[in-house]
Amino acid sequence: MTAYIWQSANLTEAVKDLNPTFHSDFTQTSTRIITDTRKIEKGDIFLAIQGDNFDGHDYVKTAKDKGAVLAIVSRAVESDLPQLVVTDTKLALGKLGAYRRDQHPNLKVVAITGSSGKTTAKEMLGSILNRIAPTLITRGNLNNDLGVPMMLLELTDDHRYAVMELGANHVGEIAYTTQLVKPDVACVLNIGTAHLGEFGGRDNIAKTKSEIYQGLSDTGTAIVPFGDDYFDTLLNNAQQFTQNILTFGERDVSLADAGVDMQQAKEIGLTDEDTVLLMGDVFADDVEVGNTSTFSLNFNFDIDEIETQNVTLNFAGEHNISNALAAAACAQALGLSIDDIAKGLDAAKPAKGRLNFIEFGKHTLIDDTYNANPSAVVAATQVLVSQGAPTMLVLGDIGELGDAAQEEHRKLGETIAASGVTALYTVGELTPVTVAQAQASGMQAQASGMQAQAYPDKASLLAAIKDKLASSDDAWHILFKGSRYMMMEQVIDELTRQPS
Protein backbone atom coordinates (compact mmCIF):
# COMPACT_ATOMS: atom_id res chain seq x y z
CA MET A 1 0.00 0.00 0.00
CA THR A 2 1.12 3.53 -0.76
CA ALA A 3 2.29 5.30 2.41
CA TYR A 4 1.59 8.98 3.07
CA ILE A 5 4.59 11.35 2.94
CA TRP A 6 5.11 13.76 5.85
CA GLN A 7 7.24 16.85 5.34
CA SER A 8 7.59 20.25 6.97
CA ALA A 9 4.67 21.86 5.10
CA ASN A 10 1.93 19.34 5.92
CA LEU A 11 3.21 18.78 9.45
CA THR A 12 2.94 22.50 10.12
CA GLU A 13 -0.50 22.67 8.49
CA ALA A 14 -1.83 19.76 10.56
CA VAL A 15 -0.84 21.32 13.91
CA LYS A 16 -1.23 24.99 12.96
CA ASP A 17 -3.43 25.68 16.01
CA LEU A 18 -0.63 24.58 18.37
CA ASN A 19 1.92 27.29 17.56
CA PRO A 20 4.29 24.99 15.63
CA THR A 21 7.93 26.07 15.40
CA PHE A 22 10.81 24.13 13.95
CA HIS A 23 13.72 24.21 16.40
CA SER A 24 16.06 23.58 13.45
CA ASP A 25 15.56 23.08 9.73
CA PHE A 26 13.73 19.92 8.71
CA THR A 27 14.29 19.13 5.06
CA GLN A 28 13.69 15.37 5.03
CA THR A 29 10.48 13.39 4.57
CA SER A 30 8.97 10.49 6.51
CA THR A 31 6.16 7.99 6.18
CA ARG A 32 5.61 7.14 9.86
CA ILE A 33 4.94 9.00 13.10
CA ILE A 34 5.68 6.87 16.17
CA THR A 35 5.18 7.51 19.91
CA ASP A 36 7.10 4.45 21.18
CA THR A 37 10.89 4.49 20.76
CA ARG A 38 10.94 0.69 20.99
CA LYS A 39 9.20 0.59 17.61
CA ILE A 40 11.15 3.34 15.86
CA GLU A 41 12.85 2.49 12.59
CA LYS A 42 15.18 4.53 10.42
CA GLY A 43 13.37 7.46 8.83
CA ASP A 44 10.52 7.70 11.37
CA ILE A 45 9.23 10.78 13.17
CA PHE A 46 9.14 10.48 16.97
CA LEU A 47 6.27 12.21 18.80
CA ALA A 48 7.02 12.64 22.51
CA ILE A 49 4.01 12.06 24.76
CA GLN A 50 4.11 13.01 28.43
CA GLY A 51 2.07 10.78 30.73
CA ASP A 52 1.55 10.44 34.46
CA ASN A 53 4.49 8.08 34.90
CA PHE A 54 6.68 8.76 31.86
CA ASP A 55 7.90 11.57 29.64
CA GLY A 56 8.67 10.87 26.01
CA HIS A 57 10.97 13.91 25.94
CA ASP A 58 13.48 11.83 27.91
CA TYR A 59 13.79 9.50 24.90
CA VAL A 60 14.55 11.96 22.10
CA LYS A 61 18.20 10.88 22.10
CA THR A 62 17.11 7.22 21.89
CA ALA A 63 14.88 8.10 18.94
CA LYS A 64 17.77 9.78 17.13
CA ASP A 65 20.08 6.83 17.81
CA LYS A 66 17.50 4.50 16.26
CA GLY A 67 17.23 6.57 13.10
CA ALA A 68 14.42 9.08 13.71
CA VAL A 69 14.60 12.13 11.44
CA LEU A 70 12.44 14.47 13.54
CA ALA A 71 11.01 14.78 17.05
CA ILE A 72 7.68 16.47 17.74
CA VAL A 73 7.93 17.90 21.25
CA SER A 74 6.17 20.33 23.59
CA ARG A 75 9.51 21.74 24.72
CA ALA A 76 12.87 21.81 22.98
CA VAL A 77 15.36 19.30 24.37
CA GLU A 78 19.13 19.11 24.14
CA SER A 79 19.68 17.20 20.89
CA ASP A 80 20.88 17.78 17.36
CA LEU A 81 17.80 15.92 16.10
CA PRO A 82 15.49 18.41 14.31
CA GLN A 83 12.47 19.23 16.48
CA LEU A 84 8.98 20.55 15.84
CA VAL A 85 7.87 22.31 19.01
CA VAL A 86 4.11 22.54 19.70
CA THR A 87 2.12 23.60 22.75
CA ASP A 88 0.78 20.08 23.47
CA THR A 89 2.03 16.88 21.83
CA LYS A 90 -1.01 14.86 22.87
CA LEU A 91 -3.27 17.32 21.06
CA ALA A 92 -0.77 17.32 18.18
CA LEU A 93 -1.21 13.57 17.82
CA GLY A 94 -4.96 14.04 17.57
CA LYS A 95 -4.63 16.81 15.00
CA LEU A 96 -2.21 14.77 12.90
CA GLY A 97 -4.64 11.84 12.92
CA ALA A 98 -7.56 14.10 12.01
CA TYR A 99 -5.50 15.67 9.22
CA ARG A 100 -4.86 12.22 7.75
CA ARG A 101 -8.58 11.45 7.92
CA ASP A 102 -9.36 14.69 6.10
CA GLN A 103 -7.07 13.73 3.22
CA HIS A 104 -9.54 10.95 2.32
CA PRO A 105 -12.92 12.54 1.60
CA ASN A 106 -14.09 9.42 -0.24
CA LEU A 107 -13.11 7.04 2.58
CA LYS A 108 -16.10 5.44 4.30
CA VAL A 109 -15.58 5.26 8.05
CA VAL A 110 -17.55 3.25 10.60
CA ALA A 111 -17.07 3.99 14.30
CA ILE A 112 -18.15 1.38 16.87
CA THR A 113 -18.47 1.62 20.64
CA GLY A 114 -20.29 -0.19 23.44
CA SER A 115 -19.72 -1.67 26.87
CA SER A 116 -18.90 -5.07 25.43
CA GLY A 117 -18.44 -6.70 22.04
CA LYS A 118 -16.51 -3.85 20.38
CA THR A 119 -13.58 -5.97 19.25
CA THR A 120 -15.79 -8.80 18.02
CA ALA A 121 -18.18 -6.53 16.10
CA LYS A 122 -15.17 -4.70 14.64
CA GLU A 123 -13.65 -7.96 13.39
CA MET A 124 -16.98 -9.09 11.94
CA LEU A 125 -17.46 -5.81 10.07
CA GLY A 126 -13.84 -5.90 8.93
CA SER A 127 -14.42 -9.37 7.50
CA ILE A 128 -17.41 -8.06 5.54
CA LEU A 129 -15.70 -4.95 4.17
CA ASN A 130 -12.32 -6.51 3.41
CA ARG A 131 -14.04 -8.78 0.89
CA ILE A 132 -15.03 -5.65 -1.03
CA ALA A 133 -11.98 -3.38 -0.75
CA PRO A 134 -8.91 -2.66 1.44
CA THR A 135 -10.07 -1.77 4.94
CA LEU A 136 -8.21 -0.24 7.88
CA ILE A 137 -9.32 -1.91 11.13
CA THR A 138 -8.43 -0.81 14.65
CA ARG A 139 -5.60 -3.02 15.85
CA GLY A 140 -5.53 -4.41 19.37
CA ASN A 141 -6.77 -1.95 21.96
CA LEU A 142 -5.83 1.26 20.12
CA ASN A 143 -9.26 2.71 20.84
CA ASN A 144 -8.61 5.62 23.20
CA ASP A 145 -7.59 9.26 22.77
CA LEU A 146 -4.06 8.19 21.86
CA GLY A 147 -4.79 4.96 20.01
CA VAL A 148 -7.46 6.34 17.67
CA PRO A 149 -5.25 9.02 16.06
CA MET A 150 -2.39 6.51 15.89
CA MET A 151 -4.65 4.24 13.83
CA LEU A 152 -5.70 7.15 11.60
CA LEU A 153 -2.03 7.79 10.87
CA GLU A 154 -1.95 4.35 9.22
CA LEU A 155 -4.40 5.36 6.50
CA THR A 156 -3.13 4.97 2.95
CA ASP A 157 -4.53 5.97 -0.42
CA ASP A 158 -5.48 2.32 -0.99
CA HIS A 159 -7.96 2.17 1.88
CA ARG A 160 -11.58 2.46 0.87
CA TYR A 161 -13.08 1.67 4.28
CA ALA A 162 -12.02 2.14 7.90
CA VAL A 163 -13.52 0.43 10.95
CA MET A 164 -12.60 2.37 14.07
CA GLU A 165 -13.23 1.09 17.59
CA LEU A 166 -13.84 3.90 20.09
CA GLY A 167 -13.48 3.12 23.78
CA ALA A 168 -13.69 5.34 26.84
CA ASN A 169 -13.10 5.36 30.56
CA HIS A 170 -14.39 8.88 31.19
CA VAL A 171 -17.07 11.25 29.94
CA GLY A 172 -15.94 13.26 26.92
CA GLU A 173 -13.36 10.82 25.55
CA ILE A 174 -15.55 9.54 22.72
CA ALA A 175 -16.77 13.08 22.00
CA TYR A 176 -13.10 13.85 21.26
CA THR A 177 -12.21 10.77 19.22
CA THR A 178 -15.37 10.77 17.11
CA GLN A 179 -14.52 14.30 15.93
CA LEU A 180 -11.13 12.99 14.77
CA VAL A 181 -12.69 10.01 12.98
CA LYS A 182 -15.66 11.85 11.40
CA PRO A 183 -17.61 8.62 10.86
CA ASP A 184 -20.10 8.07 8.08
CA VAL A 185 -21.71 5.41 10.28
CA ALA A 186 -21.66 5.44 14.10
CA CYS A 187 -22.78 2.41 16.11
CA VAL A 188 -23.45 1.79 19.80
CA LEU A 189 -23.59 -1.94 20.58
CA ASN A 190 -24.94 -1.87 24.13
CA ILE A 191 -24.87 -0.12 27.49
CA GLY A 192 -23.45 -2.36 30.22
CA THR A 193 -21.32 -2.00 33.32
CA ALA A 194 -17.77 -1.84 31.93
CA HIS A 195 -15.78 1.01 33.58
CA LEU A 196 -18.69 1.52 35.99
CA GLY A 197 -16.33 2.98 38.57
CA GLU A 198 -15.00 5.72 36.31
CA PHE A 199 -18.46 6.70 35.05
CA GLY A 200 -20.39 6.46 38.31
CA GLY A 201 -23.43 4.71 36.83
CA ARG A 202 -25.01 3.38 33.66
CA ASP A 203 -26.68 6.72 32.91
CA ASN A 204 -23.25 8.27 32.45
CA ILE A 205 -22.09 5.26 30.44
CA ALA A 206 -25.03 5.77 28.08
CA LYS A 207 -24.25 9.48 27.85
CA THR A 208 -20.61 8.76 27.00
CA LYS A 209 -21.26 6.01 24.47
CA SER A 210 -23.83 8.15 22.67
CA GLU A 211 -21.15 10.81 22.18
CA ILE A 212 -20.12 8.75 19.15
CA TYR A 213 -23.07 10.20 17.25
CA GLN A 214 -21.63 13.72 17.59
CA GLY A 215 -19.12 12.92 14.84
CA LEU A 216 -21.87 12.34 12.27
CA SER A 217 -22.98 14.84 9.70
CA ASP A 218 -26.68 15.04 8.90
CA THR A 219 -26.06 12.62 6.00
CA GLY A 220 -24.45 10.04 8.28
CA THR A 221 -26.20 7.01 9.76
CA ALA A 222 -26.61 6.14 13.44
CA ILE A 223 -26.88 2.47 14.43
CA VAL A 224 -28.87 1.97 17.64
CA PRO A 225 -29.40 -1.28 19.65
CA PHE A 226 -33.17 -1.86 19.54
CA GLY A 227 -33.34 -4.18 22.54
CA ASP A 228 -31.08 -2.25 24.90
CA ASP A 229 -32.39 -0.76 28.16
CA TYR A 230 -31.10 2.61 26.99
CA PHE A 231 -32.53 2.47 23.47
CA ASP A 232 -34.71 5.55 23.93
CA THR A 233 -31.81 7.58 25.34
CA LEU A 234 -29.47 6.53 22.54
CA LEU A 235 -32.11 7.19 19.89
CA ASN A 236 -32.85 10.67 21.22
CA ASN A 237 -29.15 11.52 21.31
CA ALA A 238 -28.58 10.18 17.78
CA GLN A 239 -31.48 12.18 16.38
CA GLN A 240 -29.78 15.41 17.44
CA PHE A 241 -27.22 14.80 14.69
CA THR A 242 -28.93 12.76 11.97
CA GLN A 243 -32.34 11.45 11.01
CA ASN A 244 -30.81 8.41 9.33
CA ILE A 245 -31.32 5.76 11.99
CA LEU A 246 -30.94 1.99 11.71
CA THR A 247 -31.81 -0.35 14.56
CA PHE A 248 -30.72 -3.93 15.18
CA GLY A 249 -32.12 -6.66 17.39
CA GLU A 250 -35.55 -7.01 18.95
CA ARG A 251 -37.42 -5.78 22.01
CA ASP A 252 -40.50 -6.51 24.07
CA VAL A 253 -42.82 -3.52 24.39
CA SER A 254 -46.19 -3.02 25.99
CA LEU A 255 -49.23 -3.30 23.77
CA ALA A 256 -49.96 0.39 24.29
CA ASP A 257 -46.42 1.41 23.29
CA ALA A 258 -46.75 -0.79 20.21
CA GLY A 259 -49.80 1.21 19.16
CA VAL A 260 -52.35 -1.52 19.87
CA ASP A 261 -55.93 -0.39 20.54
CA MET A 262 -56.20 -1.47 24.19
CA GLN A 263 -60.00 -1.51 24.17
CA GLN A 264 -59.99 -4.04 21.32
CA ALA A 265 -57.12 -5.93 22.98
CA LYS A 266 -59.08 -6.33 26.20
CA GLU A 267 -62.09 -7.60 24.27
CA ILE A 268 -60.00 -10.61 23.20
CA GLY A 269 -58.59 -11.23 26.68
CA LEU A 270 -55.34 -9.23 26.59
CA THR A 271 -54.29 -6.95 29.45
CA ASP A 272 -51.95 -4.04 30.13
CA GLU A 273 -49.40 -6.60 31.31
CA ASP A 274 -49.12 -8.28 27.89
CA THR A 275 -46.30 -7.38 25.53
CA VAL A 276 -45.49 -7.78 21.87
CA LEU A 277 -42.09 -8.57 20.34
CA LEU A 278 -40.97 -5.93 17.86
CA MET A 279 -38.13 -6.39 15.38
CA GLY A 280 -35.54 -3.78 14.50
CA ASP A 281 -34.43 -2.92 10.98
CA VAL A 282 -31.88 -5.76 11.16
CA PHE A 283 -32.84 -8.86 13.14
CA ALA A 284 -32.15 -12.56 13.45
CA ASP A 285 -34.51 -15.50 13.16
CA ASP A 286 -34.18 -19.30 13.29
CA VAL A 287 -31.27 -18.95 15.72
CA GLU A 288 -29.30 -22.04 16.74
CA VAL A 289 -26.44 -21.33 19.13
CA GLY A 290 -23.43 -23.60 19.72
CA ASN A 291 -19.68 -23.42 19.26
CA THR A 292 -20.72 -22.05 15.90
CA SER A 293 -24.10 -20.43 15.45
CA THR A 294 -26.58 -20.34 12.59
CA PHE A 295 -29.34 -17.83 11.99
CA SER A 296 -31.24 -16.10 9.26
CA LEU A 297 -30.17 -12.49 8.78
CA ASN A 298 -33.16 -10.30 8.05
CA PHE A 299 -33.40 -6.76 6.66
CA ASN A 300 -36.70 -5.20 7.68
CA PHE A 301 -36.62 -2.12 5.41
CA ASP A 302 -39.32 -2.91 2.86
CA ILE A 303 -42.88 -2.81 4.18
CA ASP A 304 -43.89 -5.47 1.63
CA GLU A 305 -40.93 -7.86 1.83
CA ILE A 306 -38.18 -8.77 4.29
CA GLU A 307 -34.80 -9.62 2.76
CA THR A 308 -33.26 -12.71 4.33
CA GLN A 309 -30.02 -14.68 4.08
CA ASN A 310 -28.67 -17.61 6.10
CA VAL A 311 -25.48 -17.10 8.13
CA THR A 312 -23.14 -19.58 9.81
CA LEU A 313 -21.15 -17.69 12.42
CA ASN A 314 -17.81 -18.98 13.72
CA PHE A 315 -18.51 -17.49 17.14
CA ALA A 316 -20.07 -19.09 20.21
CA GLY A 317 -22.82 -17.49 22.27
CA GLU A 318 -26.09 -15.72 21.67
CA HIS A 319 -24.47 -12.35 22.47
CA ASN A 320 -22.37 -12.73 19.33
CA ILE A 321 -25.54 -12.93 17.24
CA SER A 322 -26.20 -9.38 18.44
CA ASN A 323 -22.67 -8.34 17.48
CA ALA A 324 -23.21 -9.83 14.01
CA LEU A 325 -26.47 -7.91 13.60
CA ALA A 326 -24.71 -4.68 14.53
CA ALA A 327 -21.95 -5.36 11.98
CA ALA A 328 -24.60 -6.17 9.36
CA ALA A 329 -26.46 -2.93 10.07
CA CYS A 330 -23.23 -0.93 9.68
CA ALA A 331 -22.45 -2.64 6.37
CA GLN A 332 -25.98 -2.11 5.09
CA ALA A 333 -25.70 1.59 5.93
CA LEU A 334 -22.68 1.69 3.60
CA GLY A 335 -24.78 0.22 0.79
CA LEU A 336 -23.58 -3.40 0.82
CA SER A 337 -25.98 -6.15 -0.23
CA ILE A 338 -27.31 -8.73 2.18
CA ASP A 339 -25.51 -11.45 0.16
CA ASP A 340 -22.11 -9.78 0.59
CA ILE A 341 -22.79 -9.16 4.26
CA ALA A 342 -23.74 -12.79 4.91
CA LYS A 343 -20.62 -14.04 3.12
CA GLY A 344 -18.44 -11.72 5.19
CA LEU A 345 -20.04 -12.90 8.43
CA ASP A 346 -19.54 -16.52 7.39
CA ALA A 347 -15.81 -15.83 6.94
CA ALA A 348 -15.29 -13.90 10.20
CA LYS A 349 -13.06 -15.45 12.88
CA PRO A 350 -12.83 -14.66 16.62
CA ALA A 351 -9.91 -12.54 17.79
CA LYS A 352 -7.37 -14.08 20.18
CA GLY A 353 -8.73 -14.38 23.70
CA ARG A 354 -12.34 -14.07 22.55
CA LEU A 355 -14.09 -17.38 23.18
CA ASN A 356 -11.35 -19.39 21.49
CA PHE A 357 -11.85 -23.14 21.90
CA ILE A 358 -8.70 -25.17 22.66
CA GLU A 359 -8.61 -28.95 22.75
CA PHE A 360 -6.58 -30.14 25.76
CA GLY A 361 -6.52 -33.93 25.80
CA LYS A 362 -10.10 -35.01 26.38
CA HIS A 363 -10.94 -31.60 27.85
CA THR A 364 -11.95 -28.34 26.13
CA LEU A 365 -10.53 -25.01 27.29
CA ILE A 366 -12.35 -21.80 26.36
CA ASP A 367 -10.03 -18.79 26.23
CA ASP A 368 -12.05 -15.63 26.83
CA THR A 369 -9.27 -13.86 28.70
CA TYR A 370 -8.90 -10.67 26.66
CA ASN A 371 -10.94 -8.64 29.13
CA ALA A 372 -14.05 -8.82 31.29
CA ASN A 373 -16.98 -6.90 32.66
CA PRO A 374 -19.96 -8.37 34.57
CA SER A 375 -22.28 -8.69 31.56
CA ALA A 376 -19.51 -10.30 29.49
CA VAL A 377 -18.87 -12.84 32.27
CA VAL A 378 -22.55 -13.76 32.31
CA ALA A 379 -22.64 -14.14 28.51
CA ALA A 380 -19.49 -16.28 28.47
CA THR A 381 -20.86 -18.43 31.31
CA GLN A 382 -23.94 -19.15 29.22
CA VAL A 383 -21.65 -20.35 26.44
CA LEU A 384 -19.80 -22.56 28.93
CA VAL A 385 -22.95 -24.16 30.33
CA SER A 386 -24.23 -24.85 26.81
CA GLN A 387 -21.24 -27.16 26.27
CA GLY A 388 -22.65 -29.71 28.71
CA ALA A 389 -21.49 -30.84 32.18
CA PRO A 390 -19.12 -30.96 33.86
CA THR A 391 -18.13 -27.31 33.51
CA MET A 392 -15.63 -25.10 35.33
CA LEU A 393 -15.45 -21.31 35.35
CA VAL A 394 -11.96 -20.00 36.17
CA LEU A 395 -12.48 -16.35 37.04
CA GLY A 396 -10.14 -13.47 37.88
CA ASP A 397 -11.06 -10.08 39.29
CA ILE A 398 -13.05 -7.59 37.24
CA GLY A 399 -11.60 -4.11 37.47
CA GLU A 400 -12.82 -0.56 36.93
CA LEU A 401 -16.08 -1.02 38.85
CA GLY A 402 -15.36 1.64 41.48
CA ASP A 403 -17.61 1.68 44.52
CA ALA A 404 -19.81 -0.97 42.89
CA ALA A 405 -16.99 -3.56 42.78
CA GLN A 406 -18.04 -5.56 45.82
CA GLU A 407 -21.72 -5.60 44.88
CA GLU A 408 -21.05 -6.47 41.22
CA HIS A 409 -18.81 -9.37 42.25
CA ARG A 410 -21.44 -10.53 44.75
CA LYS A 411 -24.19 -10.50 42.13
CA LEU A 412 -21.96 -12.52 39.82
CA GLY A 413 -21.70 -15.23 42.48
CA GLU A 414 -25.47 -15.48 42.64
CA THR A 415 -25.80 -15.58 38.85
CA ILE A 416 -23.04 -18.15 38.41
CA ALA A 417 -24.55 -20.44 41.03
CA ALA A 418 -27.91 -20.27 39.26
CA SER A 419 -26.32 -20.93 35.86
CA GLY A 420 -25.60 -24.60 36.54
CA VAL A 421 -21.79 -24.33 36.37
CA THR A 422 -20.28 -27.36 38.08
CA ALA A 423 -17.26 -25.63 39.60
CA LEU A 424 -16.15 -22.04 40.17
CA TYR A 425 -12.44 -21.48 40.80
CA THR A 426 -11.24 -17.90 41.28
CA VAL A 427 -8.16 -15.80 41.94
CA GLY A 428 -7.78 -12.17 42.95
CA GLU A 429 -8.73 -9.73 45.68
CA LEU A 430 -12.38 -9.30 44.69
CA THR A 431 -13.50 -12.74 43.57
CA PRO A 432 -13.67 -14.19 47.12
CA VAL A 433 -16.89 -12.15 47.36
CA THR A 434 -18.14 -13.96 44.26
CA VAL A 435 -17.25 -17.34 45.75
CA ALA A 436 -18.86 -16.54 49.09
CA GLN A 437 -22.14 -15.63 47.39
CA ALA A 438 -21.95 -18.66 45.10
CA GLN A 439 -21.49 -20.87 48.15
CA ALA A 440 -24.40 -19.17 49.92
CA SER A 441 -26.45 -19.85 46.79
CA GLY A 442 -25.77 -23.58 46.85
CA MET A 443 -22.39 -24.20 45.24
CA GLN A 444 -20.54 -25.18 48.40
CA ALA A 445 -21.89 -28.73 48.63
CA GLN A 446 -19.41 -31.29 47.31
CA ALA A 447 -22.12 -33.94 47.61
CA SER A 448 -24.19 -32.08 45.04
CA GLY A 449 -21.31 -32.16 42.61
CA MET A 450 -21.09 -28.36 42.68
CA GLN A 451 -18.31 -26.40 44.30
CA ALA A 452 -16.86 -22.91 44.50
CA GLN A 453 -13.42 -22.03 45.79
CA ALA A 454 -11.19 -18.93 45.85
CA TYR A 455 -7.41 -19.27 45.63
CA PRO A 456 -4.77 -16.77 46.80
CA ASP A 457 -2.60 -16.88 43.68
CA LYS A 458 -2.34 -18.38 40.22
CA ALA A 459 0.04 -21.12 41.32
CA SER A 460 -2.45 -22.58 43.80
CA LEU A 461 -5.28 -22.05 41.32
CA LEU A 462 -3.35 -23.95 38.65
CA ALA A 463 -2.59 -26.79 41.07
CA ALA A 464 -6.28 -27.08 41.97
CA ILE A 465 -7.31 -27.25 38.30
CA LYS A 466 -4.73 -29.96 37.61
CA ASP A 467 -5.87 -31.96 40.65
CA LYS A 468 -9.50 -31.72 39.60
CA LEU A 469 -8.79 -32.91 36.06
CA ALA A 470 -6.47 -35.69 37.25
CA SER A 471 -9.04 -37.03 39.70
CA SER A 472 -11.94 -37.01 37.25
CA ASP A 473 -12.81 -39.47 34.52
CA ASP A 474 -14.99 -36.87 32.83
CA ALA A 475 -14.18 -34.56 29.93
CA TRP A 476 -14.40 -31.03 31.32
CA HIS A 477 -15.27 -27.77 29.62
CA ILE A 478 -13.29 -24.96 31.30
CA LEU A 479 -13.81 -21.24 30.71
CA PHE A 480 -11.08 -18.73 31.63
CA LYS A 481 -12.18 -15.13 32.18
CA GLY A 482 -10.94 -11.99 33.93
CA SER A 483 -9.98 -8.37 33.42
CA ARG A 484 -6.96 -7.64 31.26
CA TYR A 485 -4.71 -6.80 34.20
CA MET A 486 -5.35 -10.26 35.67
CA MET A 487 -3.73 -11.90 32.59
CA MET A 488 -5.71 -15.11 33.01
CA GLU A 489 -4.18 -16.46 29.80
CA GLN A 490 -1.11 -17.20 31.91
CA VAL A 491 -3.07 -19.98 33.63
CA ILE A 492 -3.95 -21.49 30.25
CA ASP A 493 -0.32 -21.27 29.13
CA GLU A 494 0.93 -23.02 32.25
CA LEU A 495 -1.81 -25.65 32.14
CA THR A 496 -1.10 -26.56 28.53
CA ARG A 497 2.70 -26.27 28.74
CA GLN A 498 4.35 -29.50 27.67
CA PRO A 499 6.84 -30.90 30.23
CA SER A 500 10.43 -30.47 29.07
Side-chain angles (χ1 to χ4, degrees), residues 371-391:
N371 212 340
N373 60 63
S375 59
V377 172
V378 173
T381 300
Q382 292 171 347
V383 173
L384 173 64
V385 173
S386 72
Q387 305 302 308
T391 54

Side-chain angles (χ1 to χ4, degrees), residues 471-490:
S471 63
S472 175
D473 294 329
D474 295 318
W476 284 74
H477 295 90
I478 310 174
L479 169 68
F480 296 81
K481 188 77 174 165
S483 276
R484 182 83 303 270
Y485 74 91
M486 291 298 295
M487 294 186 288
M488 295 300 289
E489 69 275 9
Q490 293 176 347

Side-chain angles (χ1 to χ4, degrees), residues 336-358:
L336 273 68
S337 71
I338 192 170
D339 289 345
D340 281 331
I341 292 170
K343 289 175 182 175
L345 289 174
D346 285 344
K349 303 291 184 185
K352 181 176 173 55
R354 303 283 188 172
L355 288 176
N356 302 141
F357 285 71
I358 304 167

Side-chain angles (χ1 to χ4, degrees), residues 183-186 213-224 231 234-247 281 301 332-333:
D184 300 281
V185 179
Y213 300 130
Q214 296 177 21
L216 293 170
S217 69
D218 57 7
T219 60
T221 302
I223 310 297
V224 187
F231 169 74
L234 295 171
L235 178 63
N236 289 337
N237 288 338
Q239 287 175 334
Q240 296 178 37
F241 303 97
T242 181
Q243 293 305 304
N244 301 320
I245 308 290
L246 290 183
T247 62
D281 297 315
F301 303 115
Q332 199 283 335

